[in-house]
Amino acid sequence: MGLNDQWMQRDLKVLWHPCTQMKDHEKLPLIPIKRGEGVWLEDFEGKRYLDAVSSWWVNVFGHANPRINQRIKDQVDQLEHVILAGFSHQPVIELSERLVAMTPEGLTRCFYADNGSSCIEVALKMSFHYWLNRGKPDKKRFVTLTNSYHGETMAAMAVGDVPLFTETYKALLMDTIKVPSPDCYHRPEGVSWEEHTRTMFAVMEQTLAEHHDSVAAVIIEPLIQGAGGMRMYDPIYLKLLREACDRYGVHLIHDEIAVGFGRTGTMFACEQAGIRPDFLCLSKALTGGYLPLAACITTDDVYDAFYDDYPTLRAFLHSHSYTGNPLACAAALATLDIFEQDNVIENNKALAQRMKTATAHLVDHPNVAEVRQTGMAIAIEMVQEKASKTPYPWQERRGLKVFEHALTRGALLRPLGSVVYFLPPYVITPEQIDFLADVATEGIDIATRSSVTVAVRENFHPDFRDPG
């Protein structure tokens, strides 16, 4: 038995892995990773895998980045953690100052959580509580987009709409108002992204006109709906939504947990519409993929609604044990240093163009309905019939075949159902992008050539998909 097998067997005796049907590992080998360097992950037998998905979209500057490593090492000798209620520390203060300075003007207050889902919970609770403190207790509902994903804690699931994650627990979830997504995948032929996005906004406008008295906030993933299949839309939606939220007196929550920090081509997706949300939720790439940390950044108006004498009980009594952890803040500060010093956003433009060029041939593939891109995110949607965009039954798990092939070629490509995507670290080279495109093409050819027979239940749900 090789070293990988030894570690795999030890793992399977004691671990329950996330987003995984563990029975899959009776046939699908689990890959234990010993070390990482740059875009590469290396197993215990020396085989390397190019991390095309940034280890669940978090690692932007490569594994074992020496600059982030050193910042954490320096910090651990000074202070590993301190309660953030009644105490503070240098890294969290400096990080907050920098986040306020780099986010849209008017976002002035940072509240920290431990992960993306927790950050969404903070924003939802703050918005509801704001309206309660302002004497409007009826404003307690949330508007969200179909096909959206905001995390896996209860309130975060409630404002999401990917059935694979939410359907099992719907009896436990609060009621929300769902508005059709502006996703441009199903736009009519000949219609531009902007035109389709504008058309789709009409339902949001009508919804806010009818329900604004009971709505606390609208929450969206700006520009890219990640777990919903990397579906994308035009920035005009953000502009129109900001104007409507202002008009109807409703908060706007931007979930930039997956798309913030350069993924869409600008530091933050909201910049592409020139707008400022009332709550900006950040996580994932915030620490360069090193440690759990999230920031919910909001306005003085929201902060002031909670600022009062203690007996009024208007304070925001929400906390996490590791809120604002100094080690995580140190990693985040090092990450922001790299953004500032290495001209990352500008350099990414050339990498994004290379991703577009390297995958352009797949537009003509008989089983590819669309190759879509926003910044450093590109998605290739496999279908069984191109003209009608008829999807493969999710039970056939076509994306899994791409994943399995990619592993044999030394690449970590974890598709979302039948959507193959690249969200690579920003330190990837043009040649490595070409390699990923070759591997993806081979995998798509294998996956779409294969004949798969599965039993499709009567309650077949076409929107189910494997999680990425």
Side-chain angles (χ1 to χ4, degrees):
M1 185 183 293
L3 284 175
N4 284 346
D5 283 342
Q6 291 178 39
W7 283 106
M8 179 178 71
Q9 293 306 320
R10 290 173 63 177
D11 176 295
L12 294 175
K13 287 179 180 178
V14 291
L15 264 70
W16 190 343
H17 288 265
C19 251
T20 299
Q21 171 48 262
M22 292 301 293
K23 188 173 171 56
D24 280 353
H25 288 307
E26 290 182 6
K27 297 180 179 179
L28 183 67
L30 186 75
I31 300 172
I33 295 300
K34 182 177 182 180
R35 62 184 300 272
E37 183 178 7
V39 299
W40 297 102
L41 296 165
E42 185 178 308
D43 67 21
F44 281 79
E45 295 174 1
K47 183 171 181 179
R48 298 202 305 169
Y49 306 87
L50 201 159
D51 188 355
V53 299
S54 297
S55 286
W56 254 342
W57 319 348
V58 299
N59 188 291
V60 286
F61 295 128
H63 299 280
N65 184 288
R67 291 150 79 180
I68 304 176
N69 288 357
Q70 190 60 52
R71 190 68 172 259
I72 295 171
K73 290 174 183 176
D74 292 343
Q75 181 60 43
V76 80
D77 286 334
Q78 294 293 319
L79 177 68
E80 82 300 334
H81 187 60
V82 63
I83 183 174
L84 206 62
F87 287 78
S88 191
H89 55 83
Q90 182 176 341
V92 78
I93 295 168
E94 291 182 349
L95 178 59
S96 302
E97 290 171 341
R98 291 178 70 172
L99 289 174
V100 165
M102 70 192 299
T103 52
E105 186 176 356
L107 293 173
T108 56
R109 297 287 175 172
C110 298
F111 192 99
Y112 290 94
D114 294 354
N115 57 72
S117 296
S118 299
C119 191
I120 296 299
E121 300 274 339
V122 166
L124 297 174
K125 286 176 66 175
M126 268 189 187
S127 178
F128 164 77
H129 200 163
Y130 168 93
W131 295 113
L132 195 64
N133 284 353
R134 291 297 194 208
K136 296 185 177 182
D138 291 337
K139 290 176 74 68
K140 56 188 177 184
R141 301 186 73 191
F142 296 94
V143 177
T144 187
L145 299 178
T146 58
N147 196 46
S148 58
Y149 175 87
H150 297 287
E152 303 195 31
T153 48
M154 288 300 182
M157 272 199 298
V159 293
D161 187 49
V162 178
L164 181 64
F165 300 106
T166 61
E167 192 145 308
T168 300
Y169 308 103
K170 62 184 178 182
L172 304 177
L173 306 180
M174 65 180 177
D175 180 43
T176 59
I177 302 171
K178 291 183 169 52
V179 172
S181 168
D183 156 30
C184 290
Y185 178 65
H186 288 296
R187 71 192 183 281
E189 188 173 352
V191 173
S192 70
W193 278 33
E194 180 177 344
E195 185 179 354
H196 179 72
T197 300
R198 284 183 178 275
T199 299
M200 294 304 295
F201 185 76
V203 185
M204 177 66 81
E205 176 78 33
Q206 181 181 355
T207 298
L208 292 179
E210 293 177 1
H211 298 286
H212 64 274
D213 286 341
S214 64
V215 170
V218 179
I219 179 170
I220 62 167
E221 299 163 274
L223 304 187
I224 304 174
Q225 293 186 305
M230 294 296 160
R231 294 289 177 82
M232 304 175 183
Y233 59 93
D234 192 86
I236 191 63
Y237 198 89
L238 309 182
K239 184 175 178 7
L240 295 172
L241 182 56
R242 175 71 275 178
E243 293 170 352
C245 286
D246 288 342
R247 195 159 56 249
Y248 293 110
V250 170
H251 285 148
L252 176 57
I253 302 171
H254 268 209
D255 175 356
E256 295 217 19
I257 289 160
V259 301
F261 298 104
R263 186 57 67 182
T264 66
T266 48
M267 183 62 81
F268 303 107
C270 56
E271 295 175 31
Q272 296 188 34
I275 62 102
R276 184 216 72 202
D278 299 291
F279 302 88
L280 179 62
C281 296
L282 304 172
S283 189
K284 288 192 182 289
L286 174 59
T287 66
Y290 271 70
L291 290 163
L293 184 69
C296 178
I297 313 176
T298 190
T299 64
D300 277 343
D301 177 56
V302 173
Y303 177 82
D304 290 343
F306 295 83
Y307 195 90
D308 207 338
D309 294 328
Y310 186 84
T312 66
L313 298 181
R314 294 163 70 92
F316 188 59
L317 300 179
H318 180 105
S319 63
H320 300 274
S321 301
Y322 283 93
T323 294
N325 174 260
L327 300 177
C329 290
L333 287 166
T335 298
L336 297 186
D337 284 345
I338 296 172
F339 272 109
E340 289 182 7
Q341 296 165 13
D342 289 12
N343 202 23
V344 174
I345 301 299
E346 191 63 31
N347 292 337
N348 278 359
K349 292 178 182 178
L351 293 174
Q353 182 58 46
R354 186 61 164 253
M355 288 167 61
K356 180 178 181 179
T357 302
T359 56
H361 63 282
L362 287 167
V363 172
D364 299 321
H365 193 285
N367 294 104
V368 169
E370 183 175 64
V371 180
R372 52 184 174 269
Q373 182 176 12
T374 297
M376 286 292 288
I378 199 161
I380 305 145
E381 185 130 355
M382 297 185 292
V383 291
Q384 60 178 323
E385 208 285 310
K386 189 181 183 84
S388 64
K389 296 184 177 178
T390 303
Y392 288 107
W394 62 268
Q395 295 95 330
E396 293 182 2
R397 304 185 74 180
R398 301 279 174 159
L400 182 61
K401 295 183 181 297
V402 179
F403 173 73
E404 290 176 312
H405 172 73
L407 292 179
T408 69
R409 295 276 275 113
L412 168 52
L413 280 174
R414 185 183 164 98
L416 291 151
S418 293
V419 178
V420 179
Y421 70 92
F422 305 164
L423 253 82
Y426 304 156
V427 293
I428 195 170
T429 67
E431 294 75 23
Q432 289 165 345
I433 290 172
D434 293 344
F435 165 69
L436 287 180
D438 289 344
V439 172
T441 301
E442 294 164 3
I444 290 168
D445 284 340
I446 292 168
T448 57
R449 278 201 313 264
S450 302
S451 176
V452 179
T453 302
V454 295
V456 179
R457 302 189 311 269
E458 288 185 9
N459 64 342
F460 164 66
H461 198 310
D463 291 331
F464 271 73
R465 56 175 63 89
D466 288 341

